[in-house]
Amino acid sequence: MTVVTGPAGADVAEAVRAALTCEQTVRRALVHRRALSEVFLTDSARVDEEHFVAAALLPPSHTYYTDHTTVGLVDPLLLLECCRQAETHAVHTHFGAPFGTKFVLRDWSMTLSDGALAPWAGGPVPVTVDATTQDAQWIAGSLRALAYRMRVSVSGRPLGEVTMRVKYVADTVYAKLRDRPAGTAPTSDAYRTPELAGLVEPARVGRARPENVVLLDAVRGEDGVAARLRVDGGHASLFDHPQDHVPGMVLMEAGRQAALLSAGEFTGEDPARWALSGLRASFGAYAELDEPLTVRAGRPRRRDAGGGETVPVAFEQGGRDVAQAVFSLVRAGNDSEA
């Protein structure tokens, strides 16, 4: 299909966006989720071969995504999850990837505007994701890689932007990528009784419920803080279905908690005063479930005159970094942009 540009293209895109609905969620399998409570995407439509739009509905209350001591703000990781679901759904429905295709996240970023950091009214919140794609790689008619730029908005009000690059591989190729003999990688179902000893106090990482804390045995050093990842294979949101590795969204939650912990330790301010305003992360290897993983957050670094901070985070396992990230924080109610 020819890519439509100019005013006509804008009109077509607007018409497609206007037709999106939030009446029901999409099929669970199309966003790789098992529980209906974890499906937020409600619709998706293709504008042209490099452009699609999607709709999602944010819940007014959720045991994981609305459990924060910084109250009244939408969870940025919930917006990121909506974008992940929009990407996953699009690859199956718009780009023809068969079930069984493995999704390999290479990197992603998120930058939020002031609108996302303003207090939210109660009730379900409809979200629109406007996605353009580039750098598509096709082999023998199958999509093998794609880059995304997603603009997120509510009722026309911009919330921010998410970018991501993803590879798509067949099961047989995935087995080679895992670099483990077949059947030797346990699934998250083997970790349904999580560790409790050494659990970081929820308030130190911006949480109210201890079951949503993913850090253990936190220590402070001169250059930052370090903690061990807590794997809870029975957590309804973090491990919605069995995984043979630690998913990227779980690493992002661990990184956010480590960044908040570091901010609290080195600024002396209550983590409830901080809000996540952006992140960027790259993934170099699979994070295994059966080997200790250390989350190491550096000291906060002043980002701007408005008081924003950035916190570098490394995810270490087996003597190497399996992922690296930078988390941007602002004080809740701050007018600084990410």
Side-chain angles (χ1 to χ4, degrees):
M1 181 184 298
T2 302
V3 177
V4 181
T5 58
D11 290 344
V12 170
E14 180 55 37
V16 175
R17 276 194 296 271
L20 294 174
T21 177
C22 288
E23 293 303 314
Q24 61 185 14
T25 59
V26 299
R27 289 175 54 198
R28 295 171 297 163
L30 291 175
V31 292
H32 298 182
R33 282 292 173 260
R34 181 170 57 182
L36 285 174
S37 61
E38 302 306 314
V39 179
F40 308 110
L41 202 73
T42 61
D43 203 359
S44 180
R46 196 167 182 173
V47 178
D48 57 49
E49 61 185 11
E50 295 179 338
H51 186 184
F52 67 90
V53 293
L57 193 65
L58 308 186
S61 178
H62 192 278
T63 56
Y64 168 64
Y65 286 111
T66 62
D67 171 48
H68 300 283
T69 54
T70 304
V71 298
L73 302 182
V74 66
D75 186 345
L77 292 191
L78 176 54
L79 296 177
L80 184 60
E81 172 62 15
C82 289
C83 289
R84 186 205 66 78
Q85 291 189 13
E87 169 265 338
T88 303
H89 184 271
V91 170
H92 286 305
T93 60
H94 304 323
F95 301 110
F99 290 110
T101 301
K102 300 299 184 182
F103 291 45
V104 183
L105 179 62
R106 298 173 63 188
D107 55 60
W108 57 16
S109 70
M110 177 175 61
T111 304
L112 297 183
S113 67
D114 292 343
L117 301 172
W120 288 80
V125 179
V127 170
T128 300
V129 177
D130 192 308
T132 54
T133 65
Q134 61 183 3
D135 300 333
Q137 297 178 20
W138 296 83
I139 298 177
S142 296
L143 182 65
R144 291 302 177 221
L146 199 58
Y148 301 82
R149 182 183 181 188
M150 300 179 171
R151 296 179 177 87
V152 185
S153 62
V154 169
S155 302
R157 181 180 67 173
L159 297 186
E161 182 174 293
V162 169
T163 67
M164 64 178 76
R165 294 191 301 161
V166 189
K167 289 184 177 180
Y168 306 100
V169 299
D171 282 345
T172 53
V173 176
Y174 177 75
K176 296 177 181 178
L177 286 176
R178 289 294 284 111
D179 196 29
R180 290 184 64 148
T184 64
T187 72
S188 52
D189 276 350
Y191 297 87
R192 297 184 70 86
T193 304
E195 294 182 67
L196 295 176
L199 186 70
V200 174
E201 182 183 353
R204 295 179 68 196
V205 293
R207 289 289 183 176
R209 298 170 181 243
E211 61 266 31
N212 289 326
V213 176
V214 297
L215 299 182
L216 297 165
D217 304 324
V219 295
R220 171 178 169 164
E222 278 190 26
D223 298 326
V225 299
R228 187 161 50 89
L229 178 69
R230 176 190 188 228
V231 176
D232 182 357
H235 193 287
S237 297
L238 297 175
F239 290 95
D240 166 77
H241 59 282
Q243 299 272 6
D244 69 352
H245 63 280
V246 180
M249 287 296 294
V250 177
L251 294 180
M252 293 303 94
E253 178 60 39
R256 168 170 59 183
Q257 292 189 16
L260 289 171
L261 181 64
S262 180
E265 288 292 317
F266 291 100
T267 69
E269 296 185 36
D270 187 337
R273 292 197 60 191
W274 293 100
L276 180 65
S277 63
L279 64 84
R280 63 180 186 273
S282 59
F283 305 87
Y286 286 97
E288 303 292 352
L289 294 163
D290 57 352
E291 187 174 351
L293 188 151
T294 299
V295 185
R296 199 175 301 278
R299 282 175 172 261
R301 302 170 181 173
R302 179 61 58 87
R303 189 182 75 233
D304 53 42
E309 307 276 353
T310 60
V311 182
V313 179
F315 304 85
E316 303 171 357
Q317 189 175 63
R320 61 176 177 171
D321 287 352
V322 296
Q324 292 184 323
V326 175
F327 291 81
S328 298
L329 304 174
V330 294
R331 289 172 178 82
N334 196 315
D335 292 333
S336 302
E337 291 193 10

